[in-house]
Amino acid sequence: MIIEENAVFHLYTEQYSYLLKINQYGIPEHLYFGPPVQTTDAAALSLRPGLGWGSSVLLEKGDPASCLDAMALEWSGSGRGDYREAPLELLGQSTDFRFTGSRIIEGSEPMACGLPQAHGGSQTLELTLAQPGARLKLYYTVFPTALVRRAVLENVGDAPIRLGKCMSFCLDLPGSSTMTSFHGGWITEMGRRDTPVQEAKVVCESRTGASSHRNNPGFLLSAPGANEEWGRVYGFNLIYSGNHYASAQRSLQGLTRVMQGVNPAEFCRELTPGDCFETPEAVLCVSDGGFGGLSQAMHRFVMEHIVPPYWKNRPRPVLFNSWEGCMFDFNQRRLLELAGKAKNLGCELFVLDDGWFGSRNDDHAGLGDYTVNRKKLPGGLTGLARKIRELGIDFGLWFEPESVNEDSDLFRAHPDWALTDDFSPVYGRNQLLLDLTKQEVRDHIVENVSNILDSAEISYVKWDMNRHSIALGSKAHDFILGLYEVLRRIFAPRPQILLETCSSGGNRFDLGMLCFGPQVWASDNTDPIERLRIQNGYSYLYPQSTMGAHVSAAPHAQTLRATPLSTRGNVAFFGCLGYELDLKHLLPVEVREIQAQIEFYKAYREIFQFGRFARTETGWQVSDGETTLVGVFHTLTHAAPGYEWLRVRGLENRTRYQVASLSQALRIGQFGSLLKHVAPVSIDPNGQLLRIADRHVTLPEGEEVLTVSGGALESGIPLPPLFRGTGYDKGQRNQGDFGSSLYIITEC
Ligand code: GLA
């Protein structure tokens, strides 16, 4: 809801209030963003500058309350006395936008430029500000758990305007804070970093052309002392997939200025009379329930208002992906064999990854030529898809339509379609980007991909992009607008196709891409111990249903780490589960274990994908209010471990719950010569007998079922002992390094 009273605007839902006022100078001042308050609190929430600060520059001689530098603002300009960072720069000019009017709009105000928008907002406040020759509109759209802001600058004069920077929002929050942001690179996405926000500015930005795995656009600002369950935390994210910029900086007055938008680095756009520039939408959330509360607000917003409506709360299939198992080396027979095995394991979708087209036998050639390779697939895609679907499993396909290899028919026919600058080309993974700012390039991609999608029964697309850009400034932005046009034209008429986007894993994990495809391949790193950190990082801002999470082979391709299959499953359960390994080499015990994993996941899939998520001391939990699933994860084992407690959040104190562990199997081979302690006969740890037994026999592990009150579970109940070197017992958790357990908690 939005209320206006005496130049105060109150935007509120059950979760938050956002208050701003237009002051006597026509400047929008920020009053409040936090849990619900009342419109009449505006006066009490207004800052009082008193006699002001020394060396202030004033809008009105003698009035310390006219010092822009000391105000908490909703927006600012340059050259008028606010010396903090400005959200808007018109090259070489001062800016001084003042309020001229407002409008309350039902729903959202549609954008003209083709940027994706959050859907289902209740109301929008439009503030109009103006200075000679230019009009600025600030939009605030209300969603139940988030406020979405954006800005539009319009040239209403008769001379061109040179725009150097226009952020989506700017805001001055009270008090000090810490910025939590997420950084990394290929196979090491989303490392959490906490940086105190002081007078030296903290910046989180991308310049690679994509939102990037270096610096994800989502970030948080937390008050001192905030933890998972308590304290004020603000969350911000941008509905954008290109170069982004965010900054936070503390002022002398103790305000934190925060802003976010398209990266102004090298950005320059000339607006001729009548032209306008629309920023992407930025998402703002707040919670007094700590990082956990903030994540839940963000998750709800993304699930309800970002992902395509068709996929809202729609269960995602358990998939098998051919990449790690086959790479480029496959033919129809091998794929059908794999699809049959995947079906037998319980998978519902078979995804053929890279290598099915043109001369794509490695990553040096073929990108751009989406004509099926008949040597590998004599029946074409139509034939392959039909045969795979006859096995009772759906079919999905990989594309990388934004790129081209020089060694491709497409490049030979259209060398001018590659994105170039005035220098010799630079390569990423041996490829160039296509220039998506050109209409004929966009038309080609749309036609080519659409024809393939319509030529066979394809229910899923993995849309990859594996190199950084060379487009600078305004062109980088136009490239992203081109990409959005292409995605919209291909997928809007085919909403039932599940689109999973990917950029060497999580190099473009952002809300812009999620508006087109509801899930993103979170990382090429599927080592579960690495995934604990990577998925944990994503979980601050993105719900589990947005993360592709696969079980792969051990030892792992990127870390050489050997981990138990149970832990690989337990970690991947907290996302959209898939399998990505060569199924030919699975042992009978592994086949049984994977079948059990998939059966278990399917039984609880809605909770894993869409349930309320929390980070806990020992791992993660998800809940639909009736059933809670808790993962307890270990990394390196230490000798003589102490007790460990299971703490569960969000239960009813007086209700009784059943706690059951997911039964897991221990491979006997992992015990080597230790088996002599439990086996009735002596067994050679390197012998044939143990090798054969290991293929077929497993040991039960740490199984238990008990009932207990919600109150006791909230405080924590002791878990079965961990192995301590004092003997084998089947009630014990004999897990060793990288072990994990999963508990199912249901009301009795
Ligand atoms: C990227 C993706 C992988 C896989 C390969 C195929 O690296 O992240 O998942 O699709 O490309 O070339």
Side-chain angles (χ1 to χ4, degrees):
M1 280 290 291
I2 302 175
I3 290 179
E4 185 198 350
E5 253 173 52
N6 307 323
V8 168
F9 294 92
H10 185 191
L11 299 84
Y12 65 92
T13 68
E14 277 174 21
Q15 300 284 315
Y16 69 84
S17 280
Y18 189 102
L19 276 163
L20 63 98
K21 73 170 181 198
I22 308 300
N23 72 15
Q24 67 199 89
Y25 297 102
I27 306 282
E29 278 191 57
H30 178 71
L31 298 180
Y32 177 83
F33 185 31
V37 293
Q38 293 171 359
T39 316
T40 47
D41 292 335
L45 289 165
S46 294
L47 294 173
R48 276 153 289 187
L51 297 179
W53 281 261
S55 68
S56 296
V57 169
L58 308 178
L59 284 179
E60 178 78 32
K61 212 183 325 170
D63 180 8
S66 73
C67 173
L68 288 171
D69 213 27
M71 291 179 198
L73 294 175
E74 287 290 316
W75 192 261
S76 187
S78 0
R80 306 291 294 157
D82 182 357
Y83 296 99
R84 296 167 291 180
E85 183 178 353
L88 178 73
E89 278 172 25
L90 305 187
L91 295 177
Q93 285 178 38
S94 296
T95 57
D96 190 350
F97 284 88
R98 306 285 177 106
F99 179 78
T100 58
S102 68
R103 229 166 31 114
I104 293 172
I105 302 159
E106 290 308 310
S108 302
E109 178 72 358
M111 281 196 223
C113 67
L115 281 165
Q117 279 186 280
H119 49 82
S122 60
Q123 283 186 315
T124 299
L125 169 64
E126 177 192 78
L127 296 182
T128 304
L129 300 101
Q131 67 173 29
R135 188 155 54 206
L136 178 71
K137 288 188 172 164
L138 302 181
Y139 290 97
Y140 301 75
T141 303
V142 177
F143 293 85
T145 62
L147 183 73
V148 167
R149 285 189 58 179
R150 68 185 177 95
V152 179
L153 182 76
E154 200 183 339
N155 184 343
V156 290
D158 42 26
I161 292 178
R162 292 184 71 217
L163 178 65
K165 171 183 185 183
C166 188
M167 293 285 101
S168 296
F169 81 91
C170 171
L171 183 61
D172 292 326
L173 293 167
S176 58
S177 55
T178 296
M179 183 193 271
T180 299
S181 47
F182 301 90
H183 308 273
W186 178 64
I187 64 174
T188 179
E189 292 86 348
M190 292 305 275
R192 173 180 163 166
R193 302 283 179 272
D194 295 313
T195 316
V197 177
Q198 295 176 341
E199 288 78 357
K201 192 162 57 185
V202 182
V203 169
C204 176
E205 63 170 343
S206 158
R207 294 176 178 221
T208 64
S211 49
S212 91
H213 41 37
R214 297 179 182 213
N215 307 299
N216 192 273
F219 68 100
L220 315 170
L221 291 179
S222 58
N227 61 27
E228 270 303 320
E229 292 172 88
W230 176 88
R232 172 70 57 91
V233 183
Y234 301 97
F236 305 92
N237 210 342
L238 202 61
I239 307 182
Y240 190 58
S241 312
N243 292 337
H244 60 85
Y245 175 90
S247 70
Q249 187 172 26
R250 191 181 146 86
S251 73
L252 175 67
Q253 287 74 19
L255 297 169
T256 295
R257 170 155 294 183
V258 53
M259 63 184 70
Q260 187 172 34
V262 173
N263 198 327
E266 300 119 12
F267 184 86
C268 178
R269 212 172 181 89
E270 183 159 292
L271 300 182
T272 53
D275 267 5
C276 70
F277 178 75
E278 293 178 304
T279 72
E281 291 188 326
V283 181
L284 289 71
C285 284
V286 64
S287 170
D288 271 1
F291 290 92
L294 192 281
S295 296
Q296 279 170 11
M298 274 287 184
H299 288 192
R300 211 175 126 197
F301 172 74
V302 174
M303 288 193 284
E304 305 273 320
H305 306 289
I306 290 289
V307 302
Y310 181 90
W311 288 100
K312 181 169 145 182
N313 295 327
R314 190 178 287 262
R316 312 294 165 70
V318 178
L319 66 81
F320 174 84
N321 179 298
S322 68
W323 179 244
E324 291 208 7
C326 302
M327 302 260 155
F328 295 100
D329 179 21
F330 55 80
N331 54 31
Q332 176 157 315
R333 194 179 42 78
R334 186 161 180 213
L335 294 180
L336 289 175
E337 233 173 72
L338 273 171
K341 287 189 173 11
K343 165 72 186 165
N344 175 48
L345 292 174
C347 293
E348 299 155 311
L349 167 69
F350 180 87
V351 179
L352 173 54
D353 209 281
D354 200 353
W356 57 267
F357 49 87
S359 50
R360 186 80 175 156
N361 297 314
D362 57 40
D363 64 13
H364 288 80
L367 216 49
D369 300 338
Y370 296 102
T371 322
V372 73
N373 180 329
R374 293 265 168 187
K375 265 200 212 135
K376 290 182 186 175
L377 305 173
L381 282 176
T382 320
L384 178 69
R386 200 183 45 241
K387 285 200 156 67
I388 286 185
R389 291 178 67 93
E390 277 165 14
L391 295 169
I393 183 167
D394 286 343
F395 179 64
L397 202 56
W398 180 97
F399 292 88
E400 189 174 347
E402 296 159 69
S403 294
V404 66
N405 284 125
E406 282 177 331
D407 185 358
S408 68
D409 294 341
L410 183 71
F411 185 80
R412 281 183 282 272
H414 300 284
D416 56 316
W417 282 9
L419 187 65
T420 48
D421 48 27
D422 296 334
F423 299 97
S424 57
V426 286
Y427 302 91
R429 208 188 181 198
N430 312 304
Q431 66 204 46
L432 303 172
L433 285 176
L434 290 171
D435 188 349
L436 298 191
T437 67
K438 292 185 169 149
Q439 187 65 52
E440 66 269 32
V441 174
R442 298 199 294 274
D443 290 346
H444 169 80
I445 297 175
V446 171
E447 200 182 316
N448 195 216
V449 175
S450 302
N451 286 343
I452 293 164
L453 294 181
D454 296 340
S455 74
E457 288 189 79
I458 295 170
S459 62
Y460 162 106
V461 166
K462 179 172 169 190
W463 183 290
D464 208 343
M465 200 282 270
N466 284 305
R467 67 154 293 174
H468 297 328
S469 183
I470 54 158
L472 295 179
S474 197
K475 184 143 187 175
H477 181 62
D478 290 334
F479 181 97
I480 295 295
L481 292 179
L483 168 65
Y484 291 148
E485 181 197 303
V486 165
L487 290 171
R488 188 172 289 119
R489 285 169 61 192
I490 296 174
F491 293 101
R494 301 171 181 82
Q496 75 294 348
I497 293 186
L498 173 57
L499 171 62
E500 176 159 358
T501 63
C502 167
S503 179
S504 307
N507 185 41
R508 211 164 51 183
F509 200 121
D510 60 64
L511 298 182
M513 296 312 284
L514 284 168
C515 285
F516 296 94
Q519 61 193 61
V520 185
W521 178 226
S523 177
D524 278 355
N525 191 343
T526 45
D527 175 318
I529 304 307
E530 292 286 292
R531 277 290 183 132
L532 284 176
R533 189 185 54 70
I534 294 170
Q535 290 176 212
N536 204 64
Y538 284 121
S539 78
Y540 284 90
L541 298 150
Y542 306 96
Q544 316 83 271
S545 57
T546 59
M547 293 178 223
H550 298 178
V551 170
S552 60
H556 191 263
Q558 270 106 29
T559 59
L560 296 181
R561 186 173 11 237
T563 51
L565 183 52
S566 52
T567 296
R568 283 177 267 155
N570 290 343
V571 172
F573 288 163
F574 288 84
C576 296
L577 178 67
Y579 286 78
E580 189 165 344
L581 69 170
D582 194 347
L583 303 178
K584 198 162 85 194
H585 305 303
L586 289 181
L587 302 175
V589 283
E590 292 175 317
V591 169
R592 285 205 303 273
E593 190 168 346
I594 293 179
Q595 283 169 334
Q597 285 179 338
I598 296 180
E599 198 183 321
F600 170 73
Y601 183 78
K602 284 179 179 167
Y604 294 100
R605 152 166 41 199
E606 260 102 334
I607 306 178
F608 277 122
Q609 294 179 352
F610 307 111
R612 230 172 129 90
F613 175 90
R615 292 170 292 272
T616 65
E617 287 84 347
T618 45
W620 301 320
Q621 72 166 61
V622 283
S623 174
D624 67 353
E626 278 172 18
T627 302
T628 304
L629 305 159
V630 187
V632 174
F633 301 104
H634 292 122
T635 51
L636 286 182
T637 298
H638 298 289
Y643 297 115
E644 191 177 41
W645 286 267
L646 178 69
R647 260 197 78 200
V648 185
R649 309 237 172 93
L651 302 179
E652 297 292 333
N653 259 19
R654 288 166 198 281
T655 307
R656 285 200 77 74
Y657 292 90
Q658 184 195 69
V659 180
S661 63
L662 173 65
S663 76
Q664 296 186 154
L666 286 175
R667 292 276 297 279
I668 61 169
Q670 80 188 69
F671 293 99
S673 64
L674 296 176
L675 278 178
K676 66 175 176 257
H677 297 295
V678 289
V681 289
S682 147
I683 297 175
D684 174 358
N686 299 314
Q688 187 72 353
L689 183 60
L690 185 56
R691 267 214 298 284
I692 293 173
D694 187 41
R695 296 170 66 91
H696 299 281
V697 185
T698 54
L699 293 172
E701 189 264 331
E703 285 178 15
E704 79 171 350
V705 181
L706 50 85
T707 65
V708 62
S709 74
L713 269 171
E714 287 263 353
S715 339
I717 60 163
L719 284 170
L722 287 159
F723 180 75
R724 302 202 183 105
T726 46
Y728 171 80
D729 171 49
K730 86 178 170 45
Q732 200 167 248
R733 287 178 296 153
N734 301 295
Q735 294 174 342
D737 284 348
F738 318 122
S740 63
S741 317
L742 215 133
Y743 296 91
I744 303 127
I745 294 149
T746 39
E747 275 186 42
C748 288

